[in-house]
Amino acid sequence: MVSKCANPECAATFRYFHTGKLFRVESPAVALHDTHDDGSMKKPMRRLEFFWLCDNCADKMSLSFEKGAGVAVRPKFARSATAV
C-alpha cells in the first residue's frame, strides 16, 4: 500500500490520486506456482507494486528498476535544447 512519497528523503504523505505521480512496477518472477490442481503446469509468479512520488519530487525525479537492488529514486535528466 502506498502511504508516502517513494523518495526516502521526503516526508510527504499520499492522500489523493490527482497529486504527484503513481508508478506501477511489475517485479520479476522469482517463484513458480501451479496453474492446475494436478500441478502439471508451472507458471512464474509476478508481483505488482505501486510507488508514488509527490508533486515536488515528481518534477525532479523518477523511478528506475535496478537488478538486484529493486526500485530506486533517480534524478530526471535535464533535456538540452539542440540547435537545428
Side-chain angles (χ1 to χ4, degrees):
M1 183 170 126
V2 176
S3 59
K4 69 171 276 322
C5 184
N7 179 4
E9 296 177 12
C10 180
T13 56
F14 176 77
R15 292 208 169 104
Y16 305 105
F17 284 106
H18 68 273
T19 62
K21 186 170 183 180
L22 190 64
F23 294 82
R24 183 182 88 170
V25 178
E26 184 175 335
S27 64
V30 201
L32 299 175
H33 68 88
D34 296 333
T35 56
H36 298 293
D37 290 337
D38 64 0
S40 62
M41 197 150 181
K42 301 259 184 185
K43 188 175 182 179
M45 277 180 40
R46 298 178 297 186
R47 194 169 103 195
L48 283 178
E49 292 185 84
F50 291 88
F51 298 89
W52 174 76
L53 287 174
C54 68
D55 278 330
N56 190 31
C57 292
D59 285 342
K60 301 176 278 188
M61 301 176 175
S62 187
L63 298 181
S64 66
F65 181 81
E66 296 178 4
K67 191 174 183 178
V71 175
V73 179
R74 296 284 175 234
K76 283 185 179 178
F77 295 107
R79 293 183 184 182
S80 60
T82 56
V84 178

Coordinates of all heavy atoms in Angstrom, one line a residue:
M1 N 0.8 -1.2 0.0 CA 0.0 0.0 0.0 C 0.9 1.2 0.0 O 1.9 1.3 0.7 CB -0.9 0.0 1.2 CG -1.9 1.1 1.3 SD -3.1 0.9 2.6 CE -2.8 2.4 3.4
V2 N 0.5 2.2 -0.8 CA 1.3 3.5 -0.9 C 0.8 4.4 0.3 O -0.3 4.6 0.5 CB 1.0 4.2 -2.2 CG1 1.7 5.5 -2.3 CG2 1.4 3.3 -3.4
S3 N 1.8 4.8 1.1 CA 1.4 5.7 2.2 C 2.2 7.0 2.2 O 1.8 8.0 2.7 CB 1.6 5.0 3.5 OG 3.0 4.6 3.7
K4 N 3.4 7.0 1.5 CA 4.2 8.2 1.5 C 5.0 8.2 0.2 O 5.1 7.3 -0.5 CB 5.1 8.3 2.7 CG 6.3 7.3 2.8 CD 7.2 7.6 3.9 CE 8.3 8.6 3.7 NZ 9.1 8.8 2.5
C5 N 5.6 9.3 0.0 CA 6.5 9.5 -1.2 C 7.6 8.5 -1.2 O 8.2 8.1 -0.2 CB 7.1 10.9 -1.2 SG 8.0 11.4 -2.7
A6 N 7.9 7.9 -2.4 CA 8.9 6.9 -2.6 C 10.3 7.5 -2.4 O 11.2 6.7 -2.2 CB 8.8 6.3 -4.0
N7 N 10.4 8.8 -2.4 CA 11.7 9.4 -2.1 C 12.0 9.3 -0.6 O 11.3 9.9 0.2 CB 11.7 10.9 -2.6 CG 13.0 11.6 -2.3 OD1 14.0 11.0 -1.8 ND2 13.1 12.9 -2.6
P8 N 13.0 8.5 -0.2 CA 13.3 8.4 1.2 C 13.6 9.7 2.0 O 13.4 9.7 3.2 CB 14.5 7.4 1.3 CG 14.9 7.2 -0.1 CD 14.0 7.8 -1.0
E9 N 14.0 10.7 1.3 CA 14.3 12.0 1.9 C 13.1 12.9 2.0 O 13.2 14.0 2.5 CB 15.4 12.7 1.1 CG 16.7 11.9 1.2 CD 17.8 12.5 0.3 OE1 17.7 13.7 -0.1 OE2 18.8 11.8 0.1
C10 N 11.9 12.4 1.5 CA 10.7 13.3 1.5 C 9.7 12.7 2.5 O 9.5 11.4 2.5 CB 10.1 13.3 0.1 SG 8.6 14.3 0.0
A11 N 9.0 13.5 3.2 CA 8.0 13.0 4.2 C 6.6 13.2 3.8 O 5.7 13.0 4.6 CB 8.3 13.7 5.6
A12 N 6.4 13.6 2.5 CA 5.0 13.9 2.0 C 4.2 12.6 2.1 O 4.6 11.5 1.7 CB 5.0 14.4 0.6
T13 N 2.9 12.7 2.6 CA 2.1 11.5 2.7 C 1.1 11.5 1.5 O 0.6 12.6 1.0 CB 1.3 11.5 4.0 OG1 0.6 12.8 4.1 CG2 2.2 11.4 5.2
F14 N 0.8 10.3 1.1 CA -0.1 10.1 -0.1 C -1.6 10.3 0.4 O -2.0 9.7 1.4 CB 0.0 8.7 -0.6 CG -1.0 8.4 -1.7 CD1 -0.8 8.9 -3.0 CD2 -2.1 7.6 -1.5 CE1 -1.7 8.6 -4.0 CE2 -3.0 7.3 -2.5 CZ -2.8 7.8 -3.7
R15 N -2.3 11.2 -0.3 CA -3.7 11.4 0.1 C -4.7 11.3 -1.1 O -5.8 10.8 -0.9 CB -3.9 12.8 0.7 CG -3.2 12.9 2.1 CD -3.8 13.9 3.0 NE -3.3 13.7 4.3 CZ -2.4 14.5 4.9 NH1 -2.0 15.5 4.2 NH2 -2.0 14.3 6.1
Y16 N -4.2 11.8 -2.3 CA -5.1 11.8 -3.4 C -4.4 11.3 -4.7 O -3.2 11.6 -4.8 CB -5.6 13.3 -3.7 CG -6.3 13.9 -2.5 CD1 -5.6 14.8 -1.7 CD2 -7.5 13.5 -2.1 CE1 -6.2 15.4 -0.6 CE2 -8.2 14.1 -1.0 CZ -7.5 15.0 -0.2 OH -8.1 15.6 0.8
F17 N -5.2 10.7 -5.5 CA -4.6 10.2 -6.8 C -4.2 11.3 -7.8 O -3.4 11.2 -8.6 CB -5.6 9.2 -7.5 CG -5.6 7.9 -6.9 CD1 -6.7 7.5 -6.1 CD2 -4.5 7.0 -7.0 CE1 -6.7 6.2 -5.5 CE2 -4.6 5.7 -6.4 CZ -5.6 5.4 -5.7
H18 N -4.9 12.5 -7.6 CA -4.6 13.6 -8.6 C -3.4 14.4 -8.3 O -3.1 15.3 -9.0 CB -5.9 14.4 -8.7 CG -6.2 15.2 -7.5 ND1 -7.0 14.7 -6.5 CD2 -5.8 16.5 -7.1 CE1 -7.1 15.6 -5.5 NE2 -6.4 16.7 -5.9
T19 N -2.7 14.0 -7.2 CA -1.5 14.8 -6.9 C -0.3 13.8 -7.1 O -0.4 12.6 -6.8 CB -1.5 15.3 -5.4 OG1 -1.6 14.1 -4.6 CG2 -2.6 16.2 -5.2
G20 N 0.8 14.3 -7.5 CA 2.0 13.5 -7.7 C 1.9 12.6 -8.9 O 1.1 12.8 -9.8
K21 N 2.7 11.5 -8.8 CA 2.8 10.6 -9.9 C 2.8 9.2 -9.3 O 3.6 8.9 -8.5 CB 4.0 10.8 -10.8 CG 4.0 10.0 -12.1 CD 5.1 10.4 -13.0 CE 5.0 9.5 -14.2 NZ 6.1 9.9 -15.2
L22 N 1.9 8.3 -9.8 CA 1.8 6.9 -9.3 C 2.5 6.0 -10.3 O 2.3 6.1 -11.5 CB 0.4 6.5 -9.1 CG 0.1 5.2 -8.4 CD1 0.6 5.3 -7.0 CD2 -1.4 4.9 -8.5
F23 N 3.3 5.1 -9.8 CA 4.1 4.2 -10.7 C 3.6 2.8 -10.4 O 3.5 2.4 -9.2 CB 5.6 4.2 -10.4 CG 6.2 5.5 -10.8 CD1 6.2 6.6 -10.0 CD2 6.9 5.7 -12.0 CE1 6.8 7.8 -10.3 CE2 7.5 6.9 -12.4 CZ 7.4 7.9 -11.5
R24 N 3.4 2.0 -11.4 CA 3.0 0.6 -11.2 C 4.2 -0.2 -11.7 O 4.6 -0.1 -12.9 CB 1.8 0.2 -12.0 CG 1.4 -1.3 -11.8 CD 0.2 -1.6 -12.6 NE 0.7 -2.0 -13.9 CZ -0.1 -2.6 -14.9 NH1 -1.3 -2.7 -14.7 NH2 0.5 -3.0 -16.0
V25 N 4.8 -1.1 -10.8 CA 6.0 -1.8 -11.2 C 5.7 -3.3 -11.0 O 5.2 -3.7 -10.0 CB 7.2 -1.4 -10.3 CG1 8.4 -2.2 -10.6 CG2 7.5 0.1 -10.4
E26 N 6.0 -4.1 -12.1 CA 5.8 -5.5 -12.0 C 7.2 -6.1 -11.7 O 8.1 -5.9 -12.5 CB 5.3 -6.0 -13.3 CG 5.0 -7.5 -13.3 CD 4.4 -8.0 -14.6 OE1 3.8 -7.1 -15.3 OE2 4.6 -9.1 -14.9
S27 N 7.3 -6.8 -10.5 CA 8.6 -7.3 -10.2 C 8.8 -8.6 -11.0 O 7.9 -9.3 -11.4 CB 8.6 -7.6 -8.7 OG 7.6 -8.6 -8.3
P28 N 10.1 -8.9 -11.2 CA 10.4 -10.1 -12.0 C 10.0 -11.4 -11.3 O 9.8 -11.4 -10.1 CB 11.9 -10.1 -12.1 CG 12.4 -8.7 -11.6 CD 11.2 -8.1 -10.8
A29 N 9.7 -12.4 -12.1 CA 9.3 -13.7 -11.5 C 10.4 -14.3 -10.7 O 11.5 -14.3 -11.1 CB 8.9 -14.6 -12.6
V30 N 10.0 -14.7 -9.5 CA 11.0 -15.3 -8.6 C 10.7 -16.7 -8.3 O 11.5 -17.6 -8.2 CB 11.2 -14.5 -7.2 CG1 12.5 -14.8 -6.6 CG2 11.0 -13.0 -7.5
A31 N 9.4 -17.0 -8.1 CA 9.0 -18.3 -7.7 C 8.0 -18.8 -8.8 O 7.5 -18.1 -9.6 CB 8.3 -18.3 -6.4
L32 N 7.7 -20.1 -8.7 CA 6.7 -20.7 -9.6 C 5.5 -21.1 -8.8 O 5.6 -21.5 -7.6 CB 7.3 -21.9 -10.3 CG 8.5 -21.7 -11.2 CD1 9.1 -23.0 -11.7 CD2 8.2 -20.8 -12.4
H33 N 4.3 -21.1 -9.5 CA 3.1 -21.6 -8.8 C 2.4 -22.6 -9.8 O 2.5 -22.5 -11.0 CB 2.2 -20.5 -8.3 CG 1.6 -19.7 -9.4 ND1 0.4 -20.1 -10.0 CD2 2.0 -18.6 -10.0 CE1 0.1 -19.2 -10.9 NE2 1.0 -18.3 -11.0
D34 N 1.6 -23.5 -9.2 CA 0.9 -24.4 -10.0 C -0.3 -23.7 -10.7 O -1.0 -22.9 -10.0 CB 0.3 -25.6 -9.2 CG 1.4 -26.4 -8.6 OD1 2.5 -26.4 -9.2 OD2 1.2 -27.0 -7.5
T35 N -0.5 -24.0 -11.9 CA -1.7 -23.4 -12.6 C -2.9 -24.4 -12.7 O -4.0 -24.0 -12.9 CB -1.3 -23.0 -14.1 OG1 -0.8 -24.1 -14.8 CG2 -0.3 -21.9 -14.1
H36 N -2.6 -25.7 -12.4 CA -3.7 -26.7 -12.4 C -3.6 -27.4 -11.0 O -2.6 -27.5 -10.4 CB -3.5 -27.7 -13.5 CG -3.6 -27.0 -14.9 ND1 -4.8 -26.5 -15.3 CD2 -2.7 -26.8 -15.9 CE1 -4.6 -26.0 -16.5 NE2 -3.3 -26.2 -16.9
D37 N -4.7 -28.0 -10.6 CA -4.8 -28.7 -9.4 C -3.8 -29.9 -9.3 O -3.3 -30.2 -8.3 CB -6.2 -29.2 -9.1 CG -7.2 -28.1 -8.8 OD1 -6.7 -27.1 -8.3 OD2 -8.4 -28.3 -9.0
D38 N -3.6 -30.5 -10.5 CA -2.7 -31.7 -10.5 C -1.2 -31.2 -10.6 O -0.3 -32.1 -10.6 CB -3.0 -32.6 -11.7 CG -2.8 -31.9 -13.0 OD1 -2.4 -30.8 -13.1 OD2 -3.0 -32.6 -14.0
G39 N -0.9 -29.9 -10.6 CA 0.5 -29.4 -10.6 C 1.2 -29.7 -12.0 O 2.4 -29.6 -12.0
S40 N 0.4 -29.9 -13.0 CA 1.0 -30.3 -14.3 C 1.7 -29.1 -15.0 O 2.6 -29.3 -15.8 CB 0.0 -30.9 -15.2 OG -1.0 -30.0 -15.5
M41 N 1.3 -27.9 -14.7 CA 1.8 -26.8 -15.4 C 2.3 -25.7 -14.3 O 1.6 -25.4 -13.4 CB 0.8 -26.2 -16.3 CG 1.2 -25.3 -17.3 SD 0.1 -25.4 -18.7 CE 0.8 -24.3 -19.8
K42 N 3.5 -25.3 -14.5 CA 4.1 -24.2 -13.6 C 4.2 -22.9 -14.4 O 4.5 -22.9 -15.6 CB 5.4 -24.7 -13.1 CG 5.4 -26.0 -12.4 CD 5.5 -25.7 -10.9 CE 5.6 -27.0 -10.2 NZ 5.6 -26.9 -8.8
K43 N 3.8 -21.9 -13.7 CA 3.9 -20.5 -14.3 C 4.6 -19.6 -13.4 O 4.4 -19.6 -12.2 CB 2.4 -20.1 -14.6 CG 2.3 -18.8 -15.4 CD 0.9 -18.5 -15.7 CE 0.8 -17.3 -16.5 NZ -0.6 -16.9 -16.8
P44 N 5.4 -18.7 -13.9 CA 6.1 -17.8 -13.0 C 5.2 -16.8 -12.3 O 4.2 -16.3 -12.9 CB 7.1 -17.0 -13.9 CG 6.9 -17.5 -15.3 CD 5.8 -18.5 -15.3
M45 N 5.4 -16.6 -11.0 CA 4.6 -15.6 -10.3 C 5.1 -14.2 -10.5 O 6.3 -14.0 -10.5 CB 4.6 -16.0 -8.8 CG 3.6 -17.0 -8.4 SD 3.7 -17.4 -6.6 CE 3.8 -15.9 -5.8
R46 N 4.2 -13.3 -10.7 CA 4.6 -11.9 -10.8 C 3.9 -11.1 -9.7 O 2.8 -11.4 -9.3 CB 4.2 -11.3 -12.2 CG 4.9 -12.1 -13.3 CD 4.4 -11.5 -14.6 NE 3.0 -11.8 -14.8 CZ 2.3 -11.6 -15.9 NH1 2.9 -11.1 -16.9 NH2 1.0 -11.8 -15.9
R47 N 4.6 -10.1 -9.3 CA 4.0 -9.3 -8.2 C 4.0 -7.8 -8.7 O 5.0 -7.3 -9.1 CB 4.9 -9.4 -7.0 CG 4.2 -8.9 -5.7 CD 5.0 -9.3 -4.5 NE 5.8 -8.1 -4.1 CZ 6.8 -8.1 -3.3 NH1 7.2 -9.2 -2.8 NH2 7.4 -7.0 -2.9
L48 N 2.8 -7.2 -8.5 CA 2.7 -5.8 -8.8 C 2.9 -5.0 -7.6 O 2.3 -5.3 -6.5 CB 1.3 -5.5 -9.4 CG 1.0 -5.9 -10.8 CD1 -0.4 -5.6 -11.2 CD2 2.0 -5.2 -11.8
E49 N 3.6 -3.9 -7.7 CA 3.8 -3.0 -6.6 C 3.6 -1.6 -7.1 O 3.8 -1.3 -8.3 CB 5.3 -3.1 -6.0 CG 5.6 -4.4 -5.4 CD 7.0 -4.3 -4.7 OE1 7.1 -3.8 -3.6 OE2 7.9 -4.8 -5.4
F50 N 3.1 -0.7 -6.2 CA 2.8 0.7 -6.6 C 3.7 1.6 -5.7 O 3.9 1.4 -4.6 CB 1.3 1.0 -6.3 CG 0.4 0.3 -7.3 CD1 -0.1 -1.0 -7.0 CD2 0.1 0.9 -8.5 CE1 -0.9 -1.6 -7.9 CE2 -0.8 0.2 -9.4 CZ -1.2 -1.0 -9.1
F51 N 4.2 2.6 -6.4 CA 5.1 3.6 -5.8 C 4.5 5.0 -6.2 O 4.0 5.1 -7.3 CB 6.5 3.5 -6.2 CG 7.1 2.2 -5.8 CD1 7.1 1.1 -6.7 CD2 7.8 2.0 -4.6 CE1 7.6 -0.2 -6.3 CE2 8.4 0.8 -4.3 CZ 8.3 -0.3 -5.1
W52 N 4.7 5.9 -5.3 CA 4.1 7.3 -5.6 C 5.2 8.3 -5.3 O 5.9 8.2 -4.3 CB 2.9 7.5 -4.7 CG 2.4 8.9 -4.7 CD1 1.6 9.4 -5.7 CD2 2.5 9.9 -3.7 NE1 1.2 10.7 -5.4 CE2 1.8 11.0 -4.1 CE3 3.1 10.0 -2.5 CZ2 1.7 12.2 -3.4 CZ3 3.0 11.1 -1.7 CH2 2.3 12.2 -2.2
L53 N 5.3 9.3 -6.2 CA 6.2 10.4 -5.9 C 5.3 11.7 -5.8 O 4.4 11.9 -6.6 CB 7.2 10.7 -7.1 CG 8.3 9.7 -7.2 CD1 9.1 10.0 -8.5 CD2 9.2 9.8 -6.0
C54 N 5.5 12.5 -4.8 CA 4.7 13.7 -4.6 C 5.0 14.7 -5.7 O 5.9 14.5 -6.5 CB 5.0 14.3 -3.2 SG 6.7 15.0 -3.1
D55 N 4.1 15.7 -5.8 CA 4.3 16.7 -6.9 C 5.7 17.2 -7.0 O 6.3 17.3 -8.0 CB 3.3 17.8 -6.7 CG 1.9 17.5 -7.3 OD1 1.8 16.7 -8.2 OD2 0.9 18.1 -6.7
N56 N 6.2 17.6 -5.8 CA 7.5 18.3 -5.7 C 8.6 17.3 -6.2 O 9.5 17.7 -7.0 CB 7.8 18.7 -4.3 CG 9.0 19.6 -4.2 OD1 9.3 20.3 -5.1 ND2 9.7 19.5 -3.0
C57 N 8.6 16.1 -5.8 CA 9.6 15.1 -6.2 C 9.4 14.6 -7.6 O 10.4 14.4 -8.3 CB 9.6 13.9 -5.2 SG 10.2 14.3 -3.5
A58 N 8.2 14.5 -8.0 CA 7.9 14.0 -9.4 C 8.4 15.0 -10.4 O 8.7 14.6 -11.6 CB 6.4 13.8 -9.6
D59 N 8.5 16.3 -10.1 CA 9.0 17.3 -11.0 C 10.5 17.1 -11.3 O 11.0 17.4 -12.3 CB 8.8 18.7 -10.4 CG 7.4 19.2 -10.6 OD1 6.6 18.6 -11.4 OD2 7.0 20.1 -9.9
K60 N 11.2 16.6 -10.3 CA 12.7 16.5 -10.3 C 13.2 15.1 -10.4 O 14.4 14.8 -10.8 CB 13.3 17.1 -9.1 CG 13.0 18.6 -8.9 CD 13.5 19.1 -7.6 CE 12.6 18.6 -6.5 NZ 12.9 19.2 -5.2
M61 N 12.4 14.1 -10.1 CA 12.8 12.7 -10.0 C 11.9 11.7 -10.7 O 10.8 12.0 -11.1 CB 12.9 12.3 -8.6 CG 13.9 13.1 -7.8 SD 13.8 12.6 -6.1 CE 15.1 13.7 -5.4
S62 N 12.4 10.5 -10.9 CA 11.6 9.4 -11.5 C 12.1 8.1 -10.8 O 13.0 8.2 -10.0 CB 11.8 9.3 -13.0 OG 10.9 8.3 -13.5
L63 N 11.4 7.0 -11.1 CA 11.8 5.8 -10.5 C 12.5 4.9 -11.6 O 12.1 5.0 -12.7 CB 10.6 5.0 -9.9 CG 9.9 5.7 -8.8 CD1 8.7 4.8 -8.3 CD2 10.8 6.0 -7.6
S64 N 13.4 4.1 -11.2 CA 14.1 3.1 -12.1 C 14.2 1.8 -11.4 O 14.3 1.7 -10.1 CB 15.4 3.6 -12.5 OG 16.3 3.7 -11.5
F65 N 14.2 0.7 -12.2 CA 14.4 -0.6 -11.6 C 15.9 -1.0 -11.8 O 16.4 -1.0 -12.9 CB 13.5 -1.6 -12.2 CG 13.6 -3.0 -11.7 CD1 13.0 -3.3 -10.5 CD2 14.4 -4.0 -12.3 CE1 13.1 -4.6 -9.9 CE2 14.5 -5.2 -11.7 CZ 13.9 -5.5 -10.5
E66 N 16.5 -1.5 -10.8 CA 17.9 -1.9 -10.8 C 17.9 -3.4 -10.4 O 17.5 -3.7 -9.3 CB 18.8 -1.1 -9.9 CG 18.9 0.4 -10.4 CD 19.7 1.2 -9.4 OE1 20.3 0.6 -8.5 OE2 19.8 2.4 -9.6
K67 N 18.4 -4.2 -11.3 CA 18.5 -5.7 -11.0 C 19.3 -5.9 -9.7 O 20.4 -5.3 -9.6 CB 19.2 -6.4 -12.2 CG 19.1 -7.9 -12.1 CD 19.6 -8.5 -13.4 CE 19.4 -10.0 -13.3 NZ 19.8 -10.6 -14.5
G68 N 18.8 -6.6 -8.8 CA 19.5 -6.9 -7.6 C 19.2 -5.9 -6.5 O 19.3 -6.2 -5.3
A69 N 18.8 -4.7 -6.8 CA 18.5 -3.7 -5.8 C 17.0 -3.3 -5.8 O 16.5 -2.9 -4.7 CB 19.3 -2.4 -6.1
G70 N 16.3 -3.5 -6.9 CA 14.9 -3.2 -6.9 C 14.6 -1.7 -7.4 O 15.4 -1.2 -8.2
V71 N 13.6 -1.1 -7.0 CA 13.2 0.2 -7.4 C 14.0 1.3 -6.6 O 14.1 1.2 -5.4 CB 11.7 0.4 -7.2 CG1 11.2 1.8 -7.5 CG2 10.9 -0.6 -8.1
A72 N 14.5 2.2 -7.4 CA 15.3 3.3 -6.8 C 14.8 4.6 -7.4 O 14.4 4.7 -8.5 CB 16.7 3.1 -7.1
V73 N 14.9 5.7 -6.6 CA 14.6 7.0 -7.0 C 15.8 7.6 -7.6 O 16.9 7.6 -7.1 CB 14.1 7.9 -5.8 CG1 13.8 9.3 -6.2 CG2 12.9 7.3 -5.1
R74 N 15.6 8.2 -8.8 CA 16.7 8.7 -9.6 C 16.3 10.1 -10.1 O 15.2 10.4 -10.4 CB 17.0 7.9 -10.8 CG 17.5 6.5 -10.5 CD 19.0 6.6 -10.0 NE 19.4 5.3 -9.6 CZ 19.9 5.0 -8.4 NH1 20.1 6.0 -7.5 NH2 20.3 3.8 -8.1
P75 N 17.3 11.1 -10.2 CA 17.0 12.4 -10.7 C 16.7 12.3 -12.2 O 17.2 11.5 -12.9 CB 18.3 13.2 -10.5 CG 19.3 12.2 -10.1 CD 18.7 10.9 -9.7
K76 N 15.7 13.1 -12.6 CA 15.4 13.2 -14.1 C 16.6 13.9 -14.7 O 17.2 14.8 -14.2 CB 14.2 14.0 -14.3 CG 12.9 13.3 -14.0 CD 11.7 14.2 -14.4 CE 10.4 13.5 -14.1 NZ 9.3 14.3 -14.5
F77 N 16.9 13.5 -15.9 CA 17.9 14.2 -16.7 C 17.3 15.4 -17.4 O 16.2 15.3 -18.0 CB 18.5 13.2 -17.7 CG 19.2 12.1 -17.1 CD1 18.7 10.8 -17.1 CD2 20.5 12.2 -16.5 CE1 19.4 9.7 -16.6 CE2 21.1 11.2 -15.9 CZ 20.6 9.9 -15.9
A78 N 18.0 16.5 -17.3 CA 17.6 17.7 -18.0 C 17.7 17.5 -19.5 O 18.7 17.1 -20.0 CB 18.4 18.9 -17.5
R79 N 16.6 17.9 -20.2 CA 16.7 17.9 -21.6 C 17.4 19.1 -22.1 O 17.0 20.2 -21.8 CB 15.3 17.8 -22.2 CG 14.6 16.4 -21.9 CD 13.3 16.4 -22.5 NE 12.6 15.1 -22.1 CZ 11.5 14.8 -22.5 NH1 10.8 15.5 -23.4 NH2 10.9 13.7 -22.1
S80 N 18.3 19.0 -23.0 CA 19.0 20.2 -23.5 C 18.4 20.5 -24.9 O 18.1 19.6 -25.6 CB 20.5 19.9 -23.6 OG 20.7 18.8 -24.5
A81 N 18.3 21.8 -25.1 CA 17.8 22.2 -26.4 C 18.9 22.0 -27.5 O 20.1 22.3 -27.2 CB 17.4 23.7 -26.3
T82 N 18.6 21.5 -28.6 CA 19.5 21.3 -29.7 C 19.2 22.3 -30.8 O 18.1 22.5 -31.2 CB 19.5 19.9 -30.2 OG1 18.2 19.6 -30.6 CG2 20.0 18.9 -29.1
A83 N 20.3 22.9 -31.3 CA 20.1 23.8 -32.5 C 19.9 23.0 -33.8 O 20.6 22.0 -34.0 CB 21.3 24.7 -32.6
V84 N 19.0 23.5 -34.6 CA 18.8 22.8 -35.9 C 19.3 23.6 -37.0 O 19.3 24.7 -37.1 CB 17.3 22.5 -36.1 CG1 17.0 21.9 -37.4 CG2 16.7 21.7 -34.9

